[in-house]
Each structure stands twice: as C-alpha cells, then as structure tokens.
Amino acid sequence: MLWKLKTWIAITCLCFVSTNSWAALSSAMVWEVRSAGGSVNGCGFKSGATGTDYSQQNTAQVAYTDLVIDGVETAWLTSAANPFGAAHVGNILKVTGGTGFTTGFYEVASVSGTTATMDRAVGTASSTGGTGNLGGACSHPQDIAPSIVAGNLIHVKAATYVKQGANTYVLSLSIAGGNGTLIEWRGYQTTRNDYPASANAPDFDGATNTTNVLVGAVSNIFKNFLFRRASGDCLSNVGAYFYILNSRITACGDDGLAGSSVTVNTEVDTNTGAGLDASDADNHVMNNNYIHDNGAGGAISSNSSAGTSARNTIFDTNTGNGFHAQRVISFLINNVSYNNSGATADGYNIDGTTTAALFSAYNNISMSNGRYAFNRDATTNQQPAYFDYNIYNGHTTELNNVTAGPNDAGDVDPSFTNAAGGDFTFSVSTSPAVAAGLSQSIPGATGDYQWNIGVDQDDNTAGGGVTVGYSYGN
C-alpha cells in the first residue's frame, strides 16, 4: 500500500511540473508593416494588452543575443542583458536563432519579475544564447503572411512593395480567416486609419515580373490598396473569397481579379483580360465600383454555378460585355453600362441554361454598347424574375429576348454630365432618369422611397451627383 501511495505522489508531481500546452498567437494581434521596418523585427502588439506598443516604429525596441529558455517551462524566457519588464507585455518577439530555439513570432503573454511567459514553447528546455528582436515594424507584408491567424489586423503603411527574391507574387496568403474572424489588411498613408485614395495608398507593384500581385486564402479583406502590373492576374483567388474595399486594381497582363470576390468602392481598369472574372464556381458581389477600359469585358462569369450581382457600379468602355452573368441568382440594381465595345458586346448579358438565368434588374442604364442594351442569350433561358425601371439607349436593338418593364423609362438619353470623361451624374434635373426609379412602399414605414435610375442618387441639380469608385486613383 505504501508503494502505491509513493507511486501516486510521484506521478502527481510529474504532472504538476510538466511543460504546459501553450496557445498560438492571439486573434487580437495587430501587426505593422512599413517599408522602413525590418524583416527580423517583432512587428506586432496584442490589442488590449497592458504593455507599451513598440510595433509602430521602424526599429526594434530590444535586440536580444542572450535569451535563455527555462529548464522546465519551455515558454519561459529570460535575458541577463535586457531583462523583460511590464512594458513588454503584448509585444511580439521574433526569435531569429540560437541552438535549441525555434525561430518565429512569439507574444510576450505576461512578465513575472524579469521572466517572460510567451504564448507557447520557444524551443528546448535550458537552451541558451537565443537571438531575437522585440518591437519594430516589418518591412514587407510577406514577412508575416505565414504567421498571421484568423481575426488579425495588419496595418500597411504607404510605400511600393514588390516581390521578395524569386517569388512570383508580391503577397501570397495561405492562412484563412474564419466566420466572424476575417483577416483584415488595412492600408494607410501617414497615420493608421486615414483611408487614403489609391494614389496615396500602399502600392503592391508586380512590376511586370510577377505572375500575380496577390494570391489568396479565404476570408482575407483588403482596404485601401493599389494592386498593379502583374504579368498575369492582378489578384488570383480561385476557390476562395477576396474582399476588396476602397482600392484600385490596374494594368495587369490578364484579369484584374480572377476568382470569388466582394468589391466595394473600387476601381478596376486597364487590365488586358477582364476586370473581374469569376470561374470555377466562383462569385462576384459588386457595390459602388468603376470598372473600365479592360480588354476582355467588365465583370464576367462563365460558370453556371457562379453568382454575379452588381449595385451602384459603372461598366465603362470595356472590350466585351460590360456585365455578364450565368447563374440562378444575379441582381442588377442602379448600375450604368456604357460604351462597351465589340460586335457581340452587350451592356448586360445574361447567359445560361433554363435553370441558370433567373435574374432581377431594375434602375439600370445601358447606353451605346456594341450590340444590345440587355441580352438574354437564348429564348430557352428564363425571363428575368423582375425587369423594370430601366433606361436603354443608343443600340440598334435595345432588348434581346427580354420583355420591357411596364415602368421602364425606355429608349431615352439620360443626359449624363460627361460620360466620355467618366462623369455619370446627370447634367440637368430634368433628366428622364430623375425620380423615375423603383417606387415602393416599405411596410410599416412612411415617406417617399423612389429612386433615380442609374448611379446618381443626389439632388440632381446640374453636375451635382455623387461620385463612385472612380474617384480613387484619379
């Protein structure tokens, strides 16, 4: 009996002193990237931590050459030359070398005396001579791309970022965001959250020697960036979703964006291929964009499983269809499709099988495109579920296999201020588009909910309409 008691005590003590199972980097981590930073800096600080944020500076706050891992707890670190203190809590230490050390980014989770507890084991117990840096920004977004986790926020300061070494991309992402924990990349000009126009935003420049500017993983969101000059697609994201806001995608050798996307207030222009190209069962959701001067259509979808919907978006002077969709659920609301060229180029083209071309279109303008204003490619395809309150003008045949809506303004000139110059506001308050959009009552609400047709929803005095995504970069 005494032997059993001693055995139980021994086992209990071993369990008590064994190395804990530490967590990974926190979803609350906020990272900093600036071109003047360093590739071996710490680069991040946990939001809400009690320490001092040392990530928002170019150089590391502390450079370590004598890190020691505790003899039992492998997440405990000390340094005789630079003792850890309370100000370090929440900062990231990048371990860069040392026998027995595992290189990588580690959060200083807490400090007791001069001993730091990291977010997870740093290497082998009793290892000495570890090197690393705490604080300071990273110099390139690819420095941290393999280490981020769902829910992280990455601030990127304005500069030109090109590929690293032999990479075929400026940035490649393999880490996915989660449901409610998107990974957000947020560009800024001089101070965080200043939301610059693309001319002053971080510039991901493929410099014509990259296949892609950006290769993606699901649920990464980009705000305030310029993506340009890849030899292939600017953004390639087949099988996953990009969220692109307040950005510009331009001058790439193939599509502006290939794959699933949500684009908001974004300019997509002058790409050799399509502006946005959904393939392999991908989807596009567009709101408040300017998609123009692309070589193979504005926004296109050639897969019957791909949904493509647009609201408050301008498709202007693309070679090919302004908008093309081939899916059960596609919506067109308050858009303009203008001057898209080619013998088979329509303002809006709805393609697909009998079950794959159900769509709704209202409050849209289609003007001066190569073939039809609105085209349902085959009579076997379904009629739109809702088609009304639209303007179509400047085509030999305005509607093909589409029945005009009872409230369409029809074949009239909407009186754009300067469409050739990218201004799709109305030049006069008497435009036939003004107050001619969908008029509806909302159950339980009062008031006038009538809209204009097109993207201009302002008070309609001459030249007084809203601007859309095309203000970016201009």
Side-chain angles (χ1 to χ4, degrees):
M1 185 66 182
L2 180 60
W3 176 86
K4 291 183 178 180
L5 179 60
K6 289 181 178 179
T7 302
W8 181 84
I9 293 172
I11 293 172
T12 302
C13 292
L14 286 172
C15 291
F16 178 76
V17 299
S18 63
T19 301
N20 288 330
S21 176
W22 300 100
L25 289 174
S26 169
S27 62
M29 192 60 64
V30 179
W31 302 81
E32 176 76 13
V33 175
R34 50 179 69 177
S35 61
S39 61
V40 295
N41 285 344
C43 310
F45 182 78
K46 181 180 177 180
S47 177
T50 58
T52 301
D53 183 358
Y54 294 122
S55 69
Q56 297 184 62
Q57 56 193 48
N58 294 339
T59 58
Q61 182 70 16
V62 185
Y64 295 95
T65 59
D66 66 339
L67 292 170
V68 176
I69 301 176
D70 184 75
V72 177
E73 292 289 356
T74 55
W76 290 2
L77 282 181
T78 57
S79 167
N82 296 284
F84 288 96
H88 298 151
V89 174
N91 283 279
I92 287 180
L93 165 67
K94 185 171 185 180
V95 174
T96 57
T99 301
F101 285 80
T102 303
T103 58
F105 293 100
Y106 298 87
E107 177 198 342
V108 180
S110 63
V111 173
S112 177
T114 59
T115 299
T117 298
M118 312 307 287
D119 64 279
R120 63 196 188 280
V122 184
T124 304
S126 301
S127 296
T128 63
T131 58
N133 296 287
L134 183 145
C138 276
S139 58
H140 194 284
Q142 194 62 45
D143 294 340
I144 61 173
S147 302
I148 58 178
V149 300
N152 283 181
L153 169 62
I154 304 97
H155 291 282
V156 183
K157 189 173 183 178
T160 298
Y161 299 92
V162 297
K163 70 173 187 173
Q164 292 182 318
N167 290 345
T168 59
Y169 47 78
V170 177
L171 176 61
S172 180
L173 303 173
S174 59
I175 308 299
N179 185 12
T181 53
L182 294 174
I183 296 171
E184 181 178 339
W185 301 76
R186 187 183 299 172
Y188 71 96
Q189 182 178 1
T190 55
T191 58
R192 286 181 173 183
N193 306 315
D194 59 9
Y195 290 90
S198 66
N200 301 312
D203 176 4
F204 286 12
D205 182 5
T208 70
N209 59 8
T210 59
T211 304
N212 304 106
V213 175
L214 179 60
V215 182
V218 68
S219 298
N220 278 258
I221 182 170
F222 287 81
K223 296 180 179 178
N224 321 315
F225 286 90
L226 172 61
F227 305 99
R228 65 188 179 109
R229 294 205 306 165
S231 60
D233 302 325
C234 274
L235 284 68
S236 179
N237 202 37
V238 174
Y241 258 101
F242 273 138
Y243 297 79
I244 308 295
L245 288 80
N246 306 326
S247 297
R248 186 179 184 187
I249 305 169
T250 185
C252 283
D254 202 344
D255 298 326
L257 190 158
S260 293
S261 67
V262 175
T263 54
V264 179
N265 209 48
T266 290
E267 182 177 13
V268 186
D269 69 286
T270 326
N271 298 289
T272 301
L276 305 177
D277 185 1
S279 58
D280 295 335
D282 297 324
N283 303 283
H284 289 318
V285 178
M286 294 164 275
N287 195 348
N288 215 61
N289 302 306
Y290 186 32
I291 302 174
H292 65 98
D293 294 287
N294 297 290
I300 65 173
S301 167
S302 56
N303 190 296
S304 61
S305 297
T308 306
S309 297
R311 186 174 186 269
N312 294 351
T313 291
I314 299 167
F315 308 95
D316 173 21
T317 315
N318 300 287
T319 301
N321 296 313
F323 173 98
H324 171 87
Q326 189 175 0
R327 183 61 157 89
V328 173
I329 303 174
S330 293
F331 296 97
L332 293 168
I333 306 170
N334 287 104
N335 303 292
V336 171
S337 193
Y338 172 81
N339 195 40
N340 298 288
S341 63
T344 59
D346 304 321
Y348 306 94
N349 179 286
I350 309 300
D351 196 0
T353 65
T354 302
T355 60
L358 183 64
F359 74 103
S360 297
Y362 56 90
N363 294 1
N364 301 288
I365 297 173
S366 186
M367 184 175 180
S368 301
N369 300 288
R371 186 171 59 172
Y372 305 119
F374 292 87
N375 179 27
R376 183 172 59 99
D377 253 357
T379 57
T380 55
N381 296 345
Q382 293 182 358
Q383 275 285 344
Y386 188 85
F387 184 91
D388 209 357
Y389 299 94
N390 297 296
I391 286 176
Y392 23 88
N393 176 260
H395 310 86
T396 302
T397 301
E398 300 293 347
L399 306 179
N400 185 61
N401 297 326
V402 175
T403 301
N407 299 291
D408 284 349
D411 186 359
V412 294
D413 186 339
S415 300
F416 291 132
T417 299
N418 180 14
D423 186 347
F424 293 90
T425 61
F426 302 126
S427 60
V428 292
S429 60
T430 55
S431 164
V434 173
L438 175 66
S439 180
Q440 62 181 17
S441 61
I442 299 175
T446 59
D448 178 7
Y449 297 98
Q450 191 166 33
W451 300 344
N452 298 340
I453 299 175
V455 296
D456 185 354
Q457 300 298 316
D458 209 348
D459 57 7
N460 312 118
T461 56
V466 297
T467 55
V468 189
Y470 61 87
S471 62
Y472 278 81
N474 292 341

